[in-house]
Amino acid sequence: MRYLILLTPSKKWRDGVALHNQPFMPEHAIYVQTEYNKGNIVLAGPFGGSTGGAIVIDAETEEEVIRFADNDPTVKNGIFSYEIKQWDYKMSKCETENPAFDQSYIDYKHKIQKELGII
């Protein structure tokens, strides 16, 4: 399964210090790189303006992702907190997944929504 880990500044985040200069960022980079080298990280990186970052990771269970996030040096040391979302992607250039949505999809969904009484 695929998961999104959203990283946001936490209680020990240093205001006025760029993200890449925050404490434990070199350790964080190596930690994420190690998982990337194992083939589990799909995407990772900071948001513009030093506002946090995100990691897209493949794992068998959410517990594995929680364990990964909990052991991140920036999380363990209060620089980042995190939120995990299971990613049920429908479109992906990585896997060449393309549902080819078109007008027939709109028509089909509108029919169901009418049956449900929501439109």
Side-chain angles (χ1 to χ4, degrees):
M1 302 200 82
R2 184 154 292 164
Y3 296 87
L4 172 67
I5 304 171
L6 293 171
L7 299 166
T8 55
S10 193
K11 58 188 176 285
K12 293 188 179 176
W13 177 267
R14 307 278 175 93
D15 288 331
V17 176
L19 183 141
H20 63 275
N21 288 329
Q22 291 288 328
F24 300 99
M25 286 308 291
E27 293 86 351
H28 164 80
I30 297 298
Y31 183 72
V32 175
Q33 180 72 53
T34 300
E35 202 66 20
Y36 176 85
N37 292 347
K38 292 178 186 176
N40 297 324
I41 303 291
V42 178
L43 295 166
F47 297 137
S50 289
T51 59
I55 299 170
V56 177
I57 185 171
D58 288 335
E60 293 293 321
T61 66
E62 186 171 348
E63 289 75 23
E64 290 176 44
V65 180
I66 292 168
R67 193 168 31 259
F68 172 77
D70 281 343
N71 286 303
D72 184 316
T74 56
V75 171
K76 285 171 57 172
N77 290 285
I79 307 303
F80 282 136
S81 56
Y82 68 88
E83 181 180 356
I84 294 172
K85 300 282 188 182
Q86 183 178 326
W87 191 302
D88 293 331
Y89 65 90
K90 300 296 182 205
M91 294 179 193
S92 173
K93 286 186 178 184
C94 297
E95 289 84 8
T96 61
E97 295 274 341
N98 182 352
F101 292 128
D102 60 14
Q103 185 62 45
S104 64
Y105 177 73
I106 294 172
D107 297 341
Y108 168 72
K109 293 309 282 185
H110 282 179
K111 178 181 179 284
I112 290 173
Q113 291 168 341
K114 285 177 185 173
E115 290 170 3
L116 293 170
I118 58 176
I119 64 167

